[in-house]
mmCIF file of all heavy atoms in Angstrom:
data_model
loop_
_atom_site.group_PDB
_atom_site.id
_atom_site.type_symbol
_atom_site.label_atom_id
_atom_site.label_comp_id
_atom_site.label_asym_id
_atom_site.label_seq_id
_atom_site.Cartn_x
_atom_site.Cartn_y
_atom_site.Cartn_z
ATOM 1 N N LEU A 76 -169.354 71.396 -162.814
ATOM 2 C CA LEU A 76 -170.274 70.485 -163.500
ATOM 3 C C LEU A 76 -171.585 71.235 -163.932
ATOM 4 O O LEU A 76 -171.937 72.155 -163.278
ATOM 5 C CB LEU A 76 -170.603 69.340 -162.685
ATOM 6 C CG LEU A 76 -169.441 68.444 -162.145
ATOM 7 C CD1 LEU A 76 -169.961 67.433 -161.164
ATOM 8 C CD2 LEU A 76 -168.827 67.708 -163.324
ATOM 9 N N PRO A 77 -172.158 70.826 -165.043
ATOM 10 C CA PRO A 77 -173.439 71.431 -165.405
ATOM 11 C C PRO A 77 -174.520 71.270 -164.338
ATOM 12 O O PRO A 77 -174.567 70.199 -163.684
ATOM 13 C CB PRO A 77 -173.918 70.687 -166.741
ATOM 14 C CG PRO A 77 -172.628 70.042 -167.186
ATOM 15 C CD PRO A 77 -171.813 69.729 -166.025
ATOM 16 N N GLY A 78 -175.290 72.274 -164.057
ATOM 17 C CA GLY A 78 -176.344 72.227 -163.077
ATOM 18 C C GLY A 78 -177.389 71.234 -163.433
ATOM 19 O O GLY A 78 -177.730 71.112 -164.556
ATOM 20 N N TYR A 79 -177.935 70.515 -162.464
ATOM 21 C CA TYR A 79 -179.038 69.620 -162.699
ATOM 22 C C TYR A 79 -180.392 70.139 -162.299
ATOM 23 O O TYR A 79 -180.394 71.183 -161.604
ATOM 24 C CB TYR A 79 -178.694 68.230 -162.040
ATOM 25 C CG TYR A 79 -178.539 68.342 -160.484
ATOM 26 C CD1 TYR A 79 -179.505 68.515 -159.635
ATOM 27 C CD2 TYR A 79 -177.214 68.343 -159.979
ATOM 28 C CE1 TYR A 79 -179.345 68.649 -158.247
ATOM 29 C CE2 TYR A 79 -176.964 68.418 -158.679
ATOM 30 C CZ TYR A 79 -178.073 68.660 -157.783
ATOM 31 O OH TYR A 79 -177.862 68.717 -156.467
ATOM 32 N N GLY A 80 -181.423 69.554 -162.783
ATOM 33 C CA GLY A 80 -182.701 69.946 -162.336
ATOM 34 C C GLY A 80 -183.362 71.086 -163.069
ATOM 35 O O GLY A 80 -184.354 71.650 -162.675
ATOM 36 N N TYR A 81 -182.799 71.463 -164.235
ATOM 37 C CA TYR A 81 -183.349 72.605 -164.935
ATOM 38 C C TYR A 81 -184.271 72.067 -166.083
ATOM 39 O O TYR A 81 -183.856 71.272 -166.912
ATOM 40 C CB TYR A 81 -182.238 73.468 -165.581
ATOM 41 C CG TYR A 81 -182.804 74.669 -166.234
ATOM 42 C CD1 TYR A 81 -183.628 75.490 -165.623
ATOM 43 C CD2 TYR A 81 -182.420 74.983 -167.567
ATOM 44 C CE1 TYR A 81 -184.099 76.677 -166.194
ATOM 45 C CE2 TYR A 81 -182.891 76.086 -168.204
ATOM 46 C CZ TYR A 81 -183.765 76.951 -167.467
ATOM 47 O OH TYR A 81 -184.244 78.071 -168.170
ATOM 48 N N ALA A 82 -185.491 72.480 -165.963
ATOM 49 C CA ALA A 82 -186.514 71.848 -166.896
ATOM 50 C C ALA A 82 -186.580 72.414 -168.296
ATOM 51 O O ALA A 82 -187.035 71.709 -169.221
ATOM 52 C CB ALA A 82 -187.839 72.059 -166.269
ATOM 53 N N LYS A 83 -186.144 73.701 -168.456
ATOM 54 C CA LYS A 83 -186.398 74.300 -169.803
ATOM 55 C C LYS A 83 -185.394 73.937 -170.891
ATOM 56 O O LYS A 83 -184.946 74.803 -171.657
ATOM 57 C CB LYS A 83 -186.486 75.810 -169.612
ATOM 58 C CG LYS A 83 -187.762 76.226 -168.830
ATOM 59 C CD LYS A 83 -187.922 77.696 -168.840
ATOM 60 C CE LYS A 83 -189.180 78.136 -168.082
ATOM 61 N NZ LYS A 83 -189.349 79.542 -167.962
ATOM 62 N N VAL A 84 -185.022 72.710 -170.917
ATOM 63 C CA VAL A 84 -184.234 72.165 -172.026
ATOM 64 C C VAL A 84 -184.850 70.935 -172.597
ATOM 65 O O VAL A 84 -185.646 70.317 -171.820
ATOM 66 C CB VAL A 84 -182.781 71.924 -171.708
ATOM 67 C CG1 VAL A 84 -181.968 73.219 -171.409
ATOM 68 C CG2 VAL A 84 -182.633 70.987 -170.531
ATOM 69 N N SER A 85 -184.556 70.628 -173.818
ATOM 70 C CA SER A 85 -185.235 69.416 -174.429
ATOM 71 C C SER A 85 -184.690 68.185 -173.648
ATOM 72 O O SER A 85 -183.687 68.169 -173.044
ATOM 73 C CB SER A 85 -184.815 69.330 -175.884
ATOM 74 O OG SER A 85 -183.440 68.997 -175.984
ATOM 75 N N LYS A 86 -185.616 67.161 -173.863
ATOM 76 C CA LYS A 86 -185.220 65.856 -173.135
ATOM 77 C C LYS A 86 -183.967 65.301 -173.614
ATOM 78 O O LYS A 86 -183.094 64.798 -172.848
ATOM 79 C CB LYS A 86 -186.396 64.893 -173.451
ATOM 80 C CG LYS A 86 -186.537 63.719 -172.442
ATOM 81 C CD LYS A 86 -187.626 62.861 -172.718
ATOM 82 C CE LYS A 86 -187.557 61.583 -171.884
ATOM 83 N NZ LYS A 86 -188.552 60.542 -172.205
ATOM 84 N N LYS A 87 -183.695 65.486 -174.947
ATOM 85 C CA LYS A 87 -182.443 65.035 -175.515
ATOM 86 C C LYS A 87 -181.236 65.768 -174.990
ATOM 87 O O LYS A 87 -180.218 65.161 -174.625
ATOM 88 C CB LYS A 87 -182.542 65.263 -177.001
ATOM 89 C CG LYS A 87 -181.435 64.485 -177.815
ATOM 90 C CD LYS A 87 -181.601 64.669 -179.330
ATOM 91 C CE LYS A 87 -180.445 64.093 -180.044
ATOM 92 N NZ LYS A 87 -180.482 64.439 -181.470
ATOM 93 N N GLU A 88 -181.407 67.062 -174.804
ATOM 94 C CA GLU A 88 -180.344 67.890 -174.244
ATOM 95 C C GLU A 88 -180.060 67.548 -172.808
ATOM 96 O O GLU A 88 -178.948 67.377 -172.362
ATOM 97 C CB GLU A 88 -180.723 69.340 -174.311
ATOM 98 C CG GLU A 88 -179.632 70.368 -173.885
ATOM 99 C CD GLU A 88 -178.526 70.530 -174.972
ATOM 100 O OE1 GLU A 88 -178.607 70.010 -176.062
ATOM 101 O OE2 GLU A 88 -177.543 71.254 -174.586
ATOM 102 N N LYS A 89 -181.079 67.246 -171.999
ATOM 103 C CA LYS A 89 -180.979 66.909 -170.647
ATOM 104 C C LYS A 89 -180.287 65.564 -170.455
ATOM 105 O O LYS A 89 -179.427 65.401 -169.584
ATOM 106 C CB LYS A 89 -182.447 66.805 -169.988
ATOM 107 C CG LYS A 89 -182.395 67.202 -168.529
ATOM 108 C CD LYS A 89 -183.765 67.058 -167.894
ATOM 109 C CE LYS A 89 -184.696 68.181 -168.263
ATOM 110 N NZ LYS A 89 -185.944 68.097 -167.585
ATOM 111 N N GLU A 90 -180.624 64.600 -171.435
ATOM 112 C CA GLU A 90 -180.008 63.261 -171.427
ATOM 113 C C GLU A 90 -178.530 63.315 -171.675
ATOM 114 O O GLU A 90 -177.771 62.741 -171.066
ATOM 115 C CB GLU A 90 -180.658 62.440 -172.503
ATOM 116 C CG GLU A 90 -181.081 61.085 -171.975
ATOM 117 C CD GLU A 90 -182.014 60.426 -172.896
ATOM 118 O OE1 GLU A 90 -181.570 59.948 -174.029
ATOM 119 O OE2 GLU A 90 -183.246 60.341 -172.551
ATOM 120 N N LYS A 91 -178.207 64.276 -172.589
ATOM 121 C CA LYS A 91 -176.741 64.536 -172.913
ATOM 122 C C LYS A 91 -175.951 65.010 -171.745
ATOM 123 O O LYS A 91 -174.884 64.479 -171.478
ATOM 124 C CB LYS A 91 -176.645 65.516 -174.087
ATOM 125 C CG LYS A 91 -175.249 65.622 -174.698
ATOM 126 C CD LYS A 91 -175.228 66.722 -175.784
ATOM 127 C CE LYS A 91 -173.853 67.318 -175.827
ATOM 128 N NZ LYS A 91 -173.841 68.636 -176.489
ATOM 129 N N TRP A 92 -176.519 66.013 -171.088
ATOM 130 C CA TRP A 92 -175.863 66.525 -169.858
ATOM 131 C C TRP A 92 -175.737 65.464 -168.758
ATOM 132 O O TRP A 92 -174.735 65.300 -168.214
ATOM 133 C CB TRP A 92 -176.736 67.678 -169.250
ATOM 134 C CG TRP A 92 -176.799 68.960 -169.974
ATOM 135 C CD1 TRP A 92 -176.272 69.269 -171.134
ATOM 136 C CD2 TRP A 92 -177.512 70.134 -169.589
ATOM 137 N NE1 TRP A 92 -176.484 70.486 -171.528
ATOM 138 C CE2 TRP A 92 -177.325 71.054 -170.589
ATOM 139 C CE3 TRP A 92 -178.317 70.420 -168.432
ATOM 140 C CZ2 TRP A 92 -177.915 72.333 -170.494
ATOM 141 C CZ3 TRP A 92 -178.872 71.715 -168.400
ATOM 142 C CH2 TRP A 92 -178.623 72.611 -169.443
ATOM 143 N N ASN A 93 -176.866 64.740 -168.575
ATOM 144 C CA ASN A 93 -176.825 63.640 -167.584
ATOM 145 C C ASN A 93 -175.743 62.624 -167.756
ATOM 146 O O ASN A 93 -175.015 62.141 -167.013
ATOM 147 C CB ASN A 93 -178.215 62.971 -167.421
ATOM 148 C CG ASN A 93 -179.151 63.911 -166.749
ATOM 149 O OD1 ASN A 93 -178.796 64.852 -166.054
ATOM 150 N ND2 ASN A 93 -180.428 63.586 -166.887
ATOM 151 N N ASN A 94 -175.669 62.213 -169.084
ATOM 152 C CA ASN A 94 -174.673 61.211 -169.494
ATOM 153 C C ASN A 94 -173.209 61.779 -169.283
ATOM 154 O O ASN A 94 -172.327 61.006 -168.821
ATOM 155 C CB ASN A 94 -174.792 60.839 -170.973
ATOM 156 C CG ASN A 94 -176.065 59.966 -171.211
ATOM 157 O OD1 ASN A 94 -176.607 59.367 -170.272
ATOM 158 N ND2 ASN A 94 -176.539 59.909 -172.380
ATOM 159 N N LEU A 95 -173.019 63.061 -169.613
ATOM 160 C CA LEU A 95 -171.777 63.683 -169.460
ATOM 161 C C LEU A 95 -171.322 63.709 -167.995
ATOM 162 O O LEU A 95 -170.283 63.389 -167.571
ATOM 163 C CB LEU A 95 -171.824 65.008 -169.999
ATOM 164 C CG LEU A 95 -170.499 65.955 -170.104
ATOM 165 C CD1 LEU A 95 -169.485 65.239 -171.029
ATOM 166 C CD2 LEU A 95 -170.716 67.323 -170.499
ATOM 167 N N ILE A 96 -172.267 64.155 -167.109
ATOM 168 C CA ILE A 96 -172.015 64.237 -165.690
ATOM 169 C C ILE A 96 -171.741 62.813 -165.127
ATOM 170 O O ILE A 96 -170.786 62.617 -164.361
ATOM 171 C CB ILE A 96 -173.186 64.933 -164.943
ATOM 172 C CG1 ILE A 96 -173.353 66.421 -165.373
ATOM 173 C CG2 ILE A 96 -172.944 64.896 -163.443
ATOM 174 C CD1 ILE A 96 -174.621 67.072 -164.917
ATOM 175 N N HIS A 97 -172.557 61.928 -165.532
ATOM 176 C CA HIS A 97 -172.467 60.498 -165.116
ATOM 177 C C HIS A 97 -171.132 59.952 -165.332
ATOM 178 O O HIS A 97 -170.450 59.354 -164.559
ATOM 179 C CB HIS A 97 -173.542 59.655 -165.702
ATOM 180 C CG HIS A 97 -173.698 58.298 -165.238
ATOM 181 N ND1 HIS A 97 -172.867 57.255 -165.626
ATOM 182 C CD2 HIS A 97 -174.541 57.778 -164.190
ATOM 183 C CE1 HIS A 97 -173.266 56.156 -164.918
ATOM 184 N NE2 HIS A 97 -174.136 56.446 -164.070
ATOM 185 N N LYS A 98 -170.679 60.169 -166.663
ATOM 186 C CA LYS A 98 -169.383 59.679 -167.103
ATOM 187 C C LYS A 98 -168.254 60.281 -166.303
ATOM 188 O O LYS A 98 -167.358 59.532 -165.840
ATOM 189 C CB LYS A 98 -169.198 60.011 -168.600
ATOM 190 C CG LYS A 98 -168.177 59.213 -169.321
ATOM 191 C CD LYS A 98 -168.782 58.652 -170.683
ATOM 192 C CE LYS A 98 -167.820 57.801 -171.396
ATOM 193 N NZ LYS A 98 -168.008 56.344 -171.039
ATOM 194 N N TYR A 99 -168.341 61.582 -166.053
ATOM 195 C CA TYR A 99 -167.342 62.202 -165.254
ATOM 196 C C TYR A 99 -167.303 61.658 -163.819
ATOM 197 O O TYR A 99 -166.217 61.310 -163.315
ATOM 198 C CB TYR A 99 -167.501 63.787 -165.242
ATOM 199 C CG TYR A 99 -166.470 64.449 -164.416
ATOM 200 C CD1 TYR A 99 -165.194 64.650 -164.878
ATOM 201 C CD2 TYR A 99 -166.741 64.780 -163.056
ATOM 202 C CE1 TYR A 99 -164.203 65.186 -164.044
ATOM 203 C CE2 TYR A 99 -165.761 65.344 -162.202
ATOM 204 C CZ TYR A 99 -164.497 65.560 -162.758
ATOM 205 O OH TYR A 99 -163.521 66.108 -161.884
ATOM 206 N N LEU A 100 -168.441 61.653 -163.184
ATOM 207 C CA LEU A 100 -168.484 61.252 -161.795
ATOM 208 C C LEU A 100 -168.053 59.860 -161.523
ATOM 209 O O LEU A 100 -167.456 59.519 -160.524
ATOM 210 C CB LEU A 100 -169.826 61.567 -161.163
ATOM 211 C CG LEU A 100 -170.212 63.095 -160.970
ATOM 212 C CD1 LEU A 100 -171.664 63.179 -160.521
ATOM 213 C CD2 LEU A 100 -169.290 63.750 -159.986
ATOM 214 N N TYR A 101 -168.607 58.983 -162.393
ATOM 215 C CA TYR A 101 -168.340 57.523 -162.193
ATOM 216 C C TYR A 101 -166.971 57.015 -162.718
ATOM 217 O O TYR A 101 -166.444 56.066 -162.216
ATOM 218 C CB TYR A 101 -169.467 56.711 -162.863
ATOM 219 C CG TYR A 101 -170.687 56.691 -162.021
ATOM 220 C CD1 TYR A 101 -171.652 57.650 -162.173
ATOM 221 C CD2 TYR A 101 -170.962 55.708 -161.110
ATOM 222 C CE1 TYR A 101 -172.858 57.708 -161.400
ATOM 223 C CE2 TYR A 101 -172.095 55.657 -160.365
ATOM 224 C CZ TYR A 101 -172.993 56.669 -160.491
ATOM 225 O OH TYR A 101 -174.245 56.691 -159.754
ATOM 226 N N GLU A 102 -166.390 57.699 -163.742
ATOM 227 C CA GLU A 102 -165.239 57.113 -164.377
ATOM 228 C C GLU A 102 -163.988 57.879 -164.282
ATOM 229 O O GLU A 102 -162.937 57.467 -164.662
ATOM 230 C CB GLU A 102 -165.606 56.868 -165.889
ATOM 231 C CG GLU A 102 -166.711 55.884 -166.131
ATOM 232 C CD GLU A 102 -167.118 55.674 -167.511
ATOM 233 O OE1 GLU A 102 -166.363 56.064 -168.464
ATOM 234 O OE2 GLU A 102 -168.271 55.247 -167.716
ATOM 235 N N ARG A 103 -164.117 59.065 -163.789
ATOM 236 C CA ARG A 103 -162.879 59.966 -163.704
ATOM 237 C C ARG A 103 -161.966 59.649 -162.631
ATOM 238 O O ARG A 103 -162.309 59.828 -161.385
ATOM 239 C CB ARG A 103 -163.418 61.448 -163.667
ATOM 240 C CG ARG A 103 -162.278 62.481 -163.737
ATOM 241 C CD ARG A 103 -161.777 62.644 -165.171
ATOM 242 N NE ARG A 103 -160.919 63.759 -165.259
ATOM 243 C CZ ARG A 103 -160.056 63.856 -166.297
ATOM 244 N NH1 ARG A 103 -160.030 62.969 -167.258
ATOM 245 N NH2 ARG A 103 -159.234 64.877 -166.347
ATOM 246 N N GLU A 104 -160.865 59.128 -162.949
ATOM 247 C CA GLU A 104 -159.843 58.744 -161.934
ATOM 248 C C GLU A 104 -159.172 59.840 -161.241
ATOM 249 O O GLU A 104 -158.685 59.725 -160.136
ATOM 250 C CB GLU A 104 -158.795 57.740 -162.581
ATOM 251 C CG GLU A 104 -159.396 56.344 -162.890
ATOM 252 C CD GLU A 104 -158.407 55.414 -163.427
ATOM 253 O OE1 GLU A 104 -157.151 55.738 -163.508
ATOM 254 O OE2 GLU A 104 -158.861 54.376 -163.893
ATOM 255 N N ASN A 105 -159.084 61.058 -161.919
ATOM 256 C CA ASN A 105 -158.453 62.240 -161.339
ATOM 257 C C ASN A 105 -159.309 62.819 -160.144
ATOM 258 O O ASN A 105 -158.834 63.574 -159.337
ATOM 259 C CB ASN A 105 -158.347 63.285 -162.329
ATOM 260 C CG ASN A 105 -157.599 62.909 -163.530
ATOM 261 O OD1 ASN A 105 -157.947 61.895 -164.163
ATOM 262 N ND2 ASN A 105 -156.625 63.621 -164.046
ATOM 263 N N LEU A 106 -160.622 62.408 -160.044
ATOM 264 C CA LEU A 106 -161.566 63.069 -159.124
ATOM 265 C C LEU A 106 -161.239 62.687 -157.705
ATOM 266 O O LEU A 106 -161.218 61.507 -157.323
ATOM 267 C CB LEU A 106 -162.944 62.657 -159.481
ATOM 268 C CG LEU A 106 -164.132 63.258 -158.686
ATOM 269 C CD1 LEU A 106 -164.121 64.775 -158.741
ATOM 270 C CD2 LEU A 106 -165.528 62.765 -159.159
ATOM 271 N N LYS A 107 -160.893 63.768 -156.906
ATOM 272 C CA LYS A 107 -160.498 63.425 -155.497
ATOM 273 C C LYS A 107 -161.663 63.817 -154.531
ATOM 274 O O LYS A 107 -161.719 63.206 -153.443
ATOM 275 C CB LYS A 107 -159.262 64.359 -155.269
ATOM 276 C CG LYS A 107 -158.556 64.024 -153.965
ATOM 277 C CD LYS A 107 -157.119 63.953 -154.035
ATOM 278 C CE LYS A 107 -156.499 63.337 -152.816
ATOM 279 N NZ LYS A 107 -155.258 63.927 -152.396
ATOM 280 N N GLU A 108 -162.526 64.756 -154.842
ATOM 281 C CA GLU A 108 -163.610 65.155 -153.853
ATOM 282 C C GLU A 108 -164.647 65.855 -154.753
ATOM 283 O O GLU A 108 -164.438 66.421 -155.721
ATOM 284 C CB GLU A 108 -163.027 66.079 -152.840
ATOM 285 C CG GLU A 108 -163.942 66.364 -151.683
ATOM 286 C CD GLU A 108 -164.313 65.153 -150.907
ATOM 287 O OE1 GLU A 108 -163.540 64.688 -150.055
ATOM 288 O OE2 GLU A 108 -165.489 64.674 -151.197
ATOM 289 N N VAL A 109 -165.916 65.740 -154.165
ATOM 290 C CA VAL A 109 -167.090 66.407 -154.784
ATOM 291 C C VAL A 109 -167.716 67.256 -153.705
ATOM 292 O O VAL A 109 -168.101 66.682 -152.675
ATOM 293 C CB VAL A 109 -168.039 65.452 -155.411
ATOM 294 C CG1 VAL A 109 -169.226 66.229 -156.104
ATOM 295 C CG2 VAL A 109 -167.401 64.502 -156.438
ATOM 296 N N PHE A 110 -167.880 68.503 -153.984
ATOM 297 C CA PHE A 110 -168.680 69.424 -153.065
ATOM 298 C C PHE A 110 -170.038 69.539 -153.691
ATOM 299 O O PHE A 110 -170.221 69.827 -154.908
ATOM 300 C CB PHE A 110 -167.991 70.819 -153.026
ATOM 301 C CG PHE A 110 -166.805 70.837 -152.130
ATOM 302 C CD1 PHE A 110 -165.559 70.359 -152.535
ATOM 303 C CD2 PHE A 110 -166.923 71.476 -150.867
ATOM 304 C CE1 PHE A 110 -164.395 70.461 -151.710
ATOM 305 C CE2 PHE A 110 -165.786 71.574 -150.011
ATOM 306 C CZ PHE A 110 -164.591 71.063 -150.453
ATOM 307 N N LEU A 111 -171.038 69.467 -152.790
ATOM 308 C CA LEU A 111 -172.414 69.724 -153.313
ATOM 309 C C LEU A 111 -172.837 71.152 -152.867
ATOM 310 O O LEU A 111 -172.629 71.581 -151.751
ATOM 311 C CB LEU A 111 -173.399 68.774 -152.629
ATOM 312 C CG LEU A 111 -174.896 69.036 -152.992
ATOM 313 C CD1 LEU A 111 -175.165 68.697 -154.502
ATOM 314 C CD2 LEU A 111 -175.793 68.156 -152.107
ATOM 315 N N LEU A 112 -173.330 71.972 -153.852
ATOM 316 C CA LEU A 112 -173.848 73.321 -153.616
ATOM 317 C C LEU A 112 -175.315 73.234 -153.392
ATOM 318 O O LEU A 112 -176.029 72.663 -154.200
ATOM 319 C CB LEU A 112 -173.454 74.293 -154.666
ATOM 320 C CG LEU A 112 -172.039 74.895 -154.551
ATOM 321 C CD1 LEU A 112 -170.925 73.867 -154.865
ATOM 322 C CD2 LEU A 112 -171.849 75.977 -155.489
ATOM 323 N N VAL A 113 -175.853 73.866 -152.362
ATOM 324 C CA VAL A 113 -177.283 73.974 -152.151
ATOM 325 C C VAL A 113 -177.588 75.429 -151.795
ATOM 326 O O VAL A 113 -176.678 76.172 -151.312
ATOM 327 C CB VAL A 113 -177.864 73.031 -151.033
ATOM 328 C CG1 VAL A 113 -177.548 71.516 -151.372
ATOM 329 C CG2 VAL A 113 -177.273 73.372 -149.661
ATOM 330 N N ASP A 114 -178.771 75.869 -152.000
ATOM 331 C CA ASP A 114 -179.263 77.200 -151.594
ATOM 332 C C ASP A 114 -179.617 77.224 -150.189
ATOM 333 O O ASP A 114 -180.542 76.521 -149.769
ATOM 334 C CB ASP A 114 -180.381 77.626 -152.591
ATOM 335 C CG ASP A 114 -180.872 79.104 -152.414
ATOM 336 O OD1 ASP A 114 -180.670 79.600 -151.329
ATOM 337 O OD2 ASP A 114 -181.376 79.588 -153.292
ATOM 338 N N ILE A 115 -178.890 77.960 -149.378
ATOM 339 C CA ILE A 115 -179.151 78.002 -147.890
ATOM 340 C C ILE A 115 -180.574 78.418 -147.541
ATOM 341 O O ILE A 115 -181.118 78.078 -146.479
ATOM 342 C CB ILE A 115 -178.189 78.905 -147.229
ATOM 343 C CG1 ILE A 115 -178.069 78.601 -145.766
ATOM 344 C CG2 ILE A 115 -178.466 80.428 -147.432
ATOM 345 C CD1 ILE A 115 -176.891 79.120 -145.000
ATOM 346 N N ARG A 116 -181.298 79.108 -148.470
ATOM 347 C CA ARG A 116 -182.611 79.645 -148.124
ATOM 348 C C ARG A 116 -183.733 78.480 -148.208
ATOM 349 O O ARG A 116 -184.813 78.773 -147.639
ATOM 350 C CB ARG A 116 -183.027 80.728 -149.131
ATOM 351 C CG ARG A 116 -182.123 81.873 -149.086
ATOM 352 C CD ARG A 116 -182.319 82.852 -150.220
ATOM 353 N NE ARG A 116 -182.128 82.255 -151.424
ATOM 354 C CZ ARG A 116 -182.471 82.853 -152.682
ATOM 355 N NH1 ARG A 116 -182.903 84.065 -152.720
ATOM 356 N NH2 ARG A 116 -182.265 82.192 -153.783
#
Side-chain angles (χ1 to χ4, degrees):
L76 300 174
Y79 54 80
Y81 184 54
K83 290 187 179 176
V84 290
S85 70
K86 201 175 171 191
K87 194 178 174 187
E88 185 77 5
K89 213 184 281 186
E90 226 163 76
K91 187 185 152 197
W92 289 1
N93 287 342
N94 289 341
L95 185 66
I96 296 169
H97 189 277
K98 200 133 185 89
Y99 176 80
L100 290 173
Y101 281 87
E102 297 175 20
R103 186 73 173 160
E104 286 179 11
N105 306 51
L106 183 58
K107 193 137 190 215
E108 191 59 80
V109 182
F110 282 77
L111 177 68
L112 276 72
V113 298
D114 186 330
I115 198 165
R116 300 171 299 174

